[in-house]
């Protein structure tokens, strides 16, 4: 039986695309759903490209009720992957999937994490602080932003001439290289 996985995204969906590509012929893993909280986001196009069913997340079905949780349970989803997902995961979902929700964060946690630290804000902060390295953190999700147990980190060197954009490109390269492999290993 294949492991059933749901991807949650909020943006362009490059990580979702990469995960779907990696597992496209897997006999171990099947992506059964892509859920996204941003109407019109690129992640929906990614789902269409890979012919994966989608779910439009709203505050109502995600935070104010257990509708999304029940939907995942009905689909027999076993693992939830946050691939550029920007909402905090509600306690009921964390409890229903203990150590089964995995997030990727575009920095070396515990630095540059927490509320408001996402996407380009992270790379701008890393640049403003004059850091010499950044990277990715893949971790289990608990009820606090970016605080669950770390599974994997990879680092990139920041050159003095790198701006936030160059830092982002280096971090995105690490995401593409490692995220699906780490998911594969954990599953
Ligand atoms: C990725 O860089 C991901 O690490 C980051 O958002 C981007 C989403 O890109 N996630 C966070 O900042 C979470 N706090 P994508 O939609 O192209 O995958």
């Amino acid at each position: 039986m294949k492991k059933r996985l749901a991807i949650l995204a909020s943006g362009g969906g490059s990580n979702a695309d990469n995960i779907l590509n990696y597992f496209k012929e897997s006999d171990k893993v099947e992506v059964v759903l892509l859920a996204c909280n941003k109407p019109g986001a690129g992640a929906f196009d990614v789902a269409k490209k890979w012919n994966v069913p989608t779910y439009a997340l709203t505050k109502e079905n995600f935070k104010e009720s257990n509708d999304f949780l029940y939907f995942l349970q009905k689909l027999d989803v076993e693992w939830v992957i946050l691939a550029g997902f920007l909402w905090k995961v509600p306690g009921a979902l964390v409890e229903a999937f203990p150590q089964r929700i995995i997030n990727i964060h575009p920095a070396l946690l515990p630095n540059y994490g927490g509320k408001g630290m996402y996407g380009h804000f992270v790379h701008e902060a890393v640049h403003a602080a004059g850091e010499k390295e950044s990277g990715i953190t893949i971790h289990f999700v608990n009820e606090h932003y970016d605080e669950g147990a770390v599974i994997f980190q990879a680092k990139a060197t920041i050159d003095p001439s790198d701006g936030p954009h160059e830092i982002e490109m280096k971090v995105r390269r690490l995401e593409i290289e490692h995220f699906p492999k780490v998911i594969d290993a954990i599953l």
Side-chain angles (χ1 to χ4, degrees):
M1 261 271 280
K2 285 193 197 181
K3 305 225 163 104
R4 296 168 68 79
L5 188 150
I7 298 175
L8 273 57
S10 299
S14 67
N15 279 287
D17 187 47
N18 188 41
I19 294 165
L20 282 156
N21 183 47
Y22 182 92
F23 289 115
K24 64 180 182 247
E25 275 151 16
S26 170
D27 47 18
K28 243 172 68 183
V29 174
E30 185 176 1
V31 179
V32 296
L33 187 73
L34 190 142
C36 180
N37 63 307
K38 205 165 158 222
F44 282 112
D45 301 325
V46 168
K48 202 167 167 194
K49 168 180 161 192
W50 293 103
N51 212 9
V52 173
T54 58
Y55 186 103
L57 294 167
T58 62
K59 285 193 174 135
E60 211 286 317
N61 62 36
F62 189 68
K63 301 177 185 186
E64 290 158 13
S65 73
N66 287 326
D67 287 2
F68 179 60
L69 169 58
Y70 297 149
F71 190 79
L72 290 180
Q73 289 172 333
K74 218 165 60 191
L75 273 184
D76 290 324
V77 166
E78 301 167 79
W79 290 87
V80 177
I81 308 299
L82 309 188
F85 184 65
L86 303 183
W87 278 356
K88 192 163 152 185
V89 178
L93 202 57
V94 174
E95 273 167 37
F97 291 89
Q99 305 289 77
R100 294 245 169 176
I101 308 178
I102 298 172
N103 180 44
I104 189 161
H105 186 76
L108 297 170
L109 292 174
N111 299 326
Y112 305 102
K115 197 167 165 51
M117 271 294 167
Y118 61 88
H120 66 98
F121 294 113
V122 175
H123 309 301
E124 281 157 15
V126 166
H127 177 253
E131 297 285 356
K132 294 192 169 50
E133 59 182 17
S134 190
I136 58 168
T137 304
I138 297 170
H139 65 96
F140 288 116
V141 169
N142 65 18
E143 281 170 56
H144 306 283
Y145 273 116
D146 303 328
E147 282 185 17
V150 171
I151 300 165
F152 175 88
Q153 289 188 309
K155 291 178 183 174
T157 303
I158 299 175
D159 298 320
S161 60
D162 287 345
H165 176 71
E166 286 72 29
I167 296 171
E168 176 171 2
M169 288 305 114
K170 287 181 175 178
V171 168
R172 281 187 175 269
R173 231 173 283 143
L174 293 176
E175 295 184 343
I176 297 302
E177 185 186 344
H178 295 290
F179 198 18
K181 287 186 201 155
V182 172
I183 294 168
D184 200 3
I186 289 276
L187 264 55

